[in-house]
Amino acid sequence: MEQQGLWARLVHRTRRFVVHLLTTTSAHGVRYLVLGGLHILERLVWLSCITIGVYGMVALSQRIWNRFQTSPTVISMDRNMYLWNTSFPSLTICSHRRIDEEKLAGYVKLRGFDEDDAEQFREFVVLLANVSYRTFLELPMYKTFGIAGYDYMELLYNLSWTFKPQVNSGTALNLSVQPIVTELGLCLAVNSRIAEYTSYEYWQSRRWDRVPEPPPLVVHPLDGEVYGQLIKLESSYEVFFHGSMEVAEISSRQYSFEESYYTTVELMALEILTSRNARELSVRQRQCRFTHEGETLLFSPVYSYNLCRIECRMKLAFKLCGCVPHFYRPIGKGNFRYRICDFEGLRCLGQRSEEMITLRTKKKVIDCNCLPNCDDSNFFVQAHVRITCRSREWFLGANLQWGLTDYPKMQLNRDIIFGLSDVFGEARVYYDRVEYLERCKESHRLMKKLKIVKYQYHEQNQKLHLESQIEMTKQRFIKSWEASRKEQLQHTISDRIDYLQKERTASALDKTRAIEASAAIEKFYRWKLESTEQEIEGWMNRFDREKEEQDSRFQKVRATEKHWNELQLSYEERQHEIESLEKELASWEAQMRHKELCGRMATKLQAWWRGVMVRKRLGRFGPPGGKKAKGKQKGKGKHKK
């Protein structure tokens, strides 16, 4: 019973408190829910109105909060070009010559290739050094030379040509040059503040720390035309222009220049900067990332828009072909890695090169979720002028000059347009105790600064007073000094006039003597000229006389020479006839000897035959009766037998 009574009193007091609260509150319409003497329908109407109001308030608050979380910033334009500095453009330059022939020859000798294999290996290495998504299909797929895909980058780096052009700039700071690895192979980054994170040495050491970034190189319209220059490039090349906090990638605009050209590139700039207030927002709110916010990337300790697209391209390559090219970082954060492509993988990527470059498939656009840089510089080529070595003798190889001639007249600023004060109302600013204290501190700081400024003003006033006194004293001294200087100048002028008069008299005397001497010299020249003309005439007569004598001698010699030539021709003809007759005589003698030999042989043959006939008693040398006697003898012989 006591517990029930206690519970009833608690409920009664709670109800009385709620009724009193709703009756005395300033919220509109709430008191009518508990006010006595009202019909139930009237109470329901008030309850409906209050419910609708609360719902609208919650919905509006949620909308305002969502706006603060998604789009609290705005990008505005600033057109006062003399109040800001402009970043000097950076570039990535890729030479078409990337292999050192001496290193390649040493490697071929070390591997012991024959001539055919050496030539094929050289072609393979040169193509591999210049390969990209556009040229994967140009690689020879028939021979690997025992080199795995994960060794391609090390091989190219060890055989790479040392590409170090001279760099000049029109500013006090020097332009930095850093060898890097890009999607076009081994290149050089000039004036880049994040180039070291894409260098092969940084990858090989497996570093993930932040390196000290060099100070940005900025220029101002009052600096005039500022250029950077690369000298002695020694080969044709390709160039990517970008900001100092960005890197080059395959889909960026590139410009190709030949070896024999001196090229000047004029650029236009457009920068976007983020204010200090906007930096305090989250990444989701400001919809951009700073360089130090690289926690979302697996293969880079820093962030940039192009680095994010490169990692997106790696993911797409692994998804389509199961591997990534050799020019990417092989090991990521947490020892994460993709498989490096062999020839089959590179051919697969080459067949899908358009999708890999544009990050678009036939069905959809790849969502890389890459946010732009919060502080970004974009450069556009305005014009490029080429001066060939044919029109201008240039012995230093290809040169590149780039810079800003037309400074940007507009700059984009990212700032907060919808902050916490807009979320909770302007009245919060005046009743927020923390902000009030901050304002008090700011006022106190400004008062101190005002005192310092007053003291500086007093010191400056005293300094100006002393300077004015010094100036007045200086003026008085100058007046007296001018008077004495004029007097001294008059004395100097009078002395100078006397000296010049003496010089004039001496010059007149020298002139008279010179005229007399010139007359004597002219008389001597005339006499000498006459005597010389007489000698010349005598020599001319002697020359004519001796020339006639020599001509007569030459005529006799020519006649003698002609006679000797005729005799020589006659001698040669007779000699030719004698030789022909000697040849005929020799042939006749040979014929006679042959005839004599034939006669002797015939005589010997006749004598031999005569001897045979005598011995055999043949013909007229046989016995009388001839054949008959012979037949009888044969018959007798048979009979005897």
Side-chain angles (χ1 to χ4, degrees):
M1 293 295 292
E2 292 180 358
Q3 292 180 356
Q4 291 180 357
L6 182 61
W7 178 255
R9 287 196 301 271
L10 181 60
V11 171
H12 176 70
R13 290 181 180 179
T14 303
R15 180 181 178 184
R16 187 175 60 183
F17 172 76
V18 172
V19 171
H20 182 267
L21 177 63
L22 296 178
T23 304
T24 58
T25 185
S26 61
H28 298 289
V30 178
R31 61 190 299 269
Y32 296 106
L33 296 177
V34 296
L35 187 63
L38 296 179
H39 194 270
I40 185 65
L41 294 178
E42 192 173 359
R43 296 180 189 276
L44 291 176
V45 170
W46 280 108
L47 180 61
S48 301
C49 293
I50 293 171
T51 304
I52 293 172
V54 171
Y55 176 77
M57 179 185 66
V58 172
L60 183 61
S61 300
Q62 186 178 6
R63 182 179 178 183
I64 293 173
W65 182 256
N66 290 336
R67 181 184 177 187
F68 174 70
Q69 291 294 327
T70 56
S71 57
T73 60
V74 66
I75 297 178
S76 60
M77 292 185 296
D78 188 2
R79 292 187 176 274
N80 195 349
M81 60 182 294
Y82 293 99
L83 293 182
W84 69 73
N85 293 323
T86 303
S87 299
F88 191 76
S90 304
L91 60 87
T92 298
I93 180 169
C94 301
S95 174
H96 290 169
R97 177 187 175 187
R98 300 180 184 177
I99 298 299
D100 193 330
E101 294 295 336
E102 295 182 358
K103 295 180 181 179
L104 180 59
Y107 184 82
V108 169
K109 185 177 180 181
L110 181 64
R111 291 288 301 271
F113 292 136
D114 55 15
E115 293 183 1
D116 295 337
D117 289 343
E119 185 64 27
Q120 293 178 5
F121 180 75
R122 182 184 180 281
E123 180 184 0
F124 162 73
V125 170
V126 172
L127 289 175
L128 187 64
N130 293 274
V131 79
S132 65
Y133 284 102
R134 295 187 177 93
T135 58
F136 278 146
L137 296 179
E138 297 179 5
L139 282 175
M141 301 296 176
Y142 51 84
K143 201 167 186 179
T144 62
F145 299 96
I147 302 174
Y150 53 82
D151 291 331
Y152 286 166
M153 196 66 244
E154 183 179 1
L155 174 66
L156 296 177
Y157 181 77
N158 293 332
L159 300 181
S160 63
W161 174 57
T162 304
F163 180 45
K164 290 184 178 180
Q166 297 181 7
V167 184
N168 295 328
S169 66
T171 61
L173 297 177
N174 294 325
L175 296 176
S176 61
V177 179
Q178 175 68 48
I180 61 173
V181 182
T182 66
E183 291 178 322
L184 276 78
L186 295 171
C187 301
L188 280 183
V190 182
N191 191 34
S192 177
R193 302 173 65 191
I194 61 172
E196 188 168 354
Y197 302 110
T198 57
S199 64
Y200 186 73
E201 294 85 355
Y202 189 86
W203 293 356
Q204 284 296 100
S205 58
R206 296 190 179 184
R207 295 174 55 188
W208 296 99
D209 58 318
R210 294 285 304 279
V211 297
E213 297 176 357
L217 180 60
V218 294
V219 292
H220 191 269
L222 298 180
D223 295 335
E225 296 183 359
V226 180
Y227 284 98
Q229 190 173 15
L230 293 177
I231 304 174
K232 294 184 179 180
L233 297 177
E234 299 182 5
S235 68
S236 56
Y237 55 93
E238 295 180 354
V239 179
F240 299 82
F241 295 99
H242 51 79
S244 61
M245 303 302 289
E246 196 54 273
V247 297
E249 55 121 2
I250 189 67
S251 64
S252 302
R253 178 68 183 276
Q254 64 190 57
Y255 300 88
S256 299
F257 300 107
E258 299 178 5
E259 180 180 359
S260 58
Y261 288 96
Y262 186 106
T263 307
T264 300
V265 182
E266 299 175 356
L267 300 170
M268 296 184 298
L270 178 62
E271 290 189 312
I272 179 170
L273 302 177
T274 303
S275 65
R276 182 178 299 177
N277 294 330
R279 290 173 182 267
E280 299 176 357
L281 298 175
S282 63
V283 175
R284 179 187 174 190
Q285 288 177 309
R286 62 174 180 261
Q287 292 296 310
C288 66
R289 286 185 179 274
F290 289 98
T291 306
H292 63 274
E293 296 175 338
E295 62 275 0
T296 58
L297 301 183
L298 291 175
F299 293 89
S300 176
V302 295
Y303 180 86
S304 76
Y305 178 73
N306 286 348
L307 287 175
C308 180
R309 284 178 59 86
I310 288 173
E311 287 204 6
C312 182
R313 194 171 285 113
M314 294 173 67
K315 294 177 183 178
L316 181 60
F318 186 77
K319 179 180 178 181
L320 295 178
C321 300
C323 61
V324 298
H326 57 277
F327 43 67
Y328 290 132
R329 183 166 185 169
I331 302 175
K333 297 176 182 177
N335 205 25
F336 178 81
R337 63 183 68 194
Y338 290 117
R339 188 177 72 87
I340 304 299
C341 290
D342 52 8
F343 278 173
E344 295 181 359
L346 295 179
R347 176 175 289 276
C348 174
L349 293 176
Q351 293 172 352
R352 296 172 172 83
S353 60
E354 192 65 27
E355 299 178 13
M356 297 301 304
I357 294 174
T358 60
L359 292 177
R360 293 182 180 180
T361 61
K362 296 180 180 179
K363 298 181 180 180
K364 63 177 182 178
V365 178
I366 305 300
D367 185 14
C368 296
N369 194 22
C370 293
L371 298 177
N373 299 333
C374 291
D375 294 335
D376 195 11
S377 300
N378 298 297
F379 297 96
F380 310 95
V381 175
Q382 183 176 2
H384 57 274
V385 181
R386 298 189 300 180
I387 304 175
T388 63
C389 292
R390 297 176 183 174
S391 60
R392 176 181 176 185
E393 186 176 358
W394 193 256
F395 57 91
L396 296 177
N399 284 12
L400 174 64
Q401 187 181 42
W402 79 101
L404 296 174
T405 56
D406 188 9
Y407 286 87
K409 298 178 177 59
M410 178 181 66
Q411 188 181 65
L412 302 180
N413 295 317
R414 182 183 284 107
D415 204 349
I416 296 177
I417 193 175
F418 193 80
L420 285 175
S421 60
D422 300 296
V423 175
F424 297 106
E426 292 294 336
R428 184 194 65 83
V429 178
Y430 302 103
Y431 298 102
D432 193 342
R433 184 172 179 272
V434 176
E435 191 164 351
Y436 174 73
L437 293 176
E438 291 293 333
R439 287 176 180 271
C440 291
K441 291 180 181 179
E442 184 69 17
S443 300
H444 185 65
R445 186 182 64 81
L446 292 176
M447 289 297 294
K448 287 185 177 180
K449 189 174 181 180
L450 179 61
K451 291 181 180 179
I452 294 172
V453 170
K454 286 183 178 180
Y455 176 75
Q456 291 177 351
Y457 172 74
H458 179 70
E459 292 291 331
Q460 190 70 18
N461 191 14
Q462 292 292 332
K463 185 177 180 181
L464 291 175
H465 178 69
L466 292 175
E467 289 180 355
S468 63
Q469 294 294 328
I470 293 172
E471 188 67 25
M472 292 173 63
T473 306
K474 188 187 296 184
Q475 292 295 332
R476 289 195 296 269
F477 173 76
I478 288 174
K479 287 181 180 179
S480 60
W481 177 76
E482 281 290 336
S484 60
R485 190 177 68 84
K486 287 181 180 179
E487 185 178 358
Q488 184 180 4
L489 185 60
Q490 288 177 357
H491 288 293
T492 304
I493 291 173
S494 61
D495 294 340
R496 183 66 176 171
I497 290 173
D498 295 339
Y499 174 76
L500 291 176
Q501 286 178 353
K502 292 180 181 179
E503 287 287 332
R504 181 182 177 185
T505 304
S507 299
L509 181 61
D510 293 339
K511 183 179 179 181
T512 304
R513 292 175 180 174
I515 291 172
E516 293 176 354
S518 63
I521 292 171
E522 185 178 1
K523 184 178 180 181
F524 173 76
Y525 281 165
R526 288 177 181 175
W527 173 79
K528 189 67 176 176
L529 181 61
E530 291 176 357
S531 61
T532 304
E533 288 178 351
Q534 292 177 359
E535 290 180 1
I536 291 173
E537 187 176 358
W539 282 106
M540 291 294 292
N541 294 330
R542 181 179 176 182
F543 173 76
D544 293 336
R545 185 175 61 256
E546 292 180 355
K547 182 180 179 183
E548 291 177 356
E549 294 176 357
Q550 293 294 333
D551 289 340
S552 62
R553 292 178 184 176
F554 288 155
Q555 288 178 0
K556 292 179 181 179
V557 170
R558 291 192 190 96
T560 305
E561 184 180 5
K562 183 177 180 181
H563 178 67
W564 277 104
N565 290 335
E566 292 176 354
L567 292 177
Q568 182 71 22
L569 292 174
S570 176
Y571 171 77
E572 290 178 355
E573 291 176 357
R574 299 291 175 83
Q575 183 70 22
H576 182 68
E577 291 177 358
I578 291 171
E579 290 177 356
S580 61
L581 291 175
E582 288 178 351
K583 290 180 180 179
E584 291 179 0
L585 180 62
S587 62
W588 290 343
E589 290 177 353
Q591 291 177 2
M592 291 298 296
R593 286 194 298 272
H594 183 265
K595 288 180 180 180
E596 291 177 358
L597 179 63
C598 291
R600 287 195 301 271
M601 292 296 106
T603 303
K604 289 181 180 181
L605 184 62
Q606 289 177 0
W608 174 78
W609 177 248
R610 185 183 296 272
V612 170
M613 291 180 67
V614 170
R615 288 191 298 272
K616 298 290 185 179
R617 294 181 179 183
L618 299 176
R620 60 187 179 89
F621 298 102
K627 296 180 180 180
K628 294 180 179 181
K630 188 177 181 180
K632 290 180 178 181
Q633 289 179 359
K634 288 181 179 181
K636 290 179 180 181
K638 289 180 181 180
H639 185 265
K640 208 181 260 190
K641 192 176 179 180

